[in-house]
Amino acid sequence: MTDIFMLAAIEEAKLGFSEGGIPIGSVLVHAGKIIGRGHNRRVQKGSAILHGEMDAIENAGRHPARVYRESTIYTTLSPCAMCSGTILLYGIPKVIVGENSTFMGEEELLRSRGVEVTVLNDAACQELMRRFIAAKPELWNEDIGEP
């Protein structure tokens, strides 16, 4: 059974998909509560950098460094280099990944820097991405920096 925080990230991904965007969602959790939630809004906002994790962290607002160092970020897809760099910058110690079969991000970089990474291989996350990539391969390639 999927936990409530991953379910919240999946809801964010579905929201992004319904808005015409890329179905990747994320939530930032501190002390058992969601403090930031977001989804990939590159298409919706015309942004070069607004991935799901970036949106969730942005929507969490400013916090003392200790809050990030005590938090867990949930993301429906393995975090890319940009999002992994942000996770490292803020010292977020734990990442829960919905799936990494459609895209393998920088999990090894995160682990090498002491971040605990757990991959759930969640079927709902995999299906969302498979459906999206089949329908909009050019948009997917743009999002991951492929020609």
Side-chain angles (χ1 to χ4, degrees):
M1 178 164 174
T2 306
D3 77 27
I4 62 168
F5 300 124
M6 184 54 69
L7 288 173
I10 292 169
E11 286 305 312
E12 285 292 326
K14 289 177 180 177
L15 180 58
F17 189 69
S18 74
E19 295 170 349
I22 299 157
I24 302 168
S26 183
V27 295
L28 183 64
V29 176
H30 178 259
K33 292 175 60 176
I34 295 173
I35 61 170
R37 57 189 316 137
H39 52 276
N40 186 306
R41 295 193 300 156
R42 290 186 64 252
V43 172
Q44 299 91 313
K45 293 284 190 176
S47 171
I49 62 170
L50 207 50
H51 284 189
E53 299 91 334
M54 303 295 277
D55 194 37
I57 292 167
E58 173 70 14
N59 289 332
R62 290 179 60 197
H63 292 281
R66 72 166 179 76
V67 170
Y68 297 105
R69 295 184 190 292
E70 298 169 353
S71 293
T72 299
I73 193 160
Y74 288 73
T75 180
T76 58
L77 188 66
S78 186
C80 72
M82 175 179 64
C83 296
S84 293
T86 302
I87 290 164
L88 292 172
L89 176 68
Y90 284 94
I92 298 169
K94 190 172 182 180
V95 180
I96 309 295
V97 176
E99 68 105 347
N100 63 7
S101 59
T102 56
F103 177 80
M104 173 57 79
E106 297 296 329
E107 294 173 22
E108 288 310 312
L109 170 65
L110 292 168
R111 287 184 181 108
S112 77
R113 299 280 297 271
V115 176
E116 180 185 337
V117 178
T118 302
V119 180
L120 303 178
N121 295 313
D122 185 271
C125 294
Q126 291 168 338
E127 180 57 27
L128 266 172
M129 288 308 299
R130 276 194 215 106
R131 195 166 29 140
F132 171 75
I133 293 168
K136 297 185 178 182
E138 70 292 336
L139 187 53
W140 171 241
N141 286 336
E142 175 191 320
D143 195 63
I144 60 172
E146 294 292 325

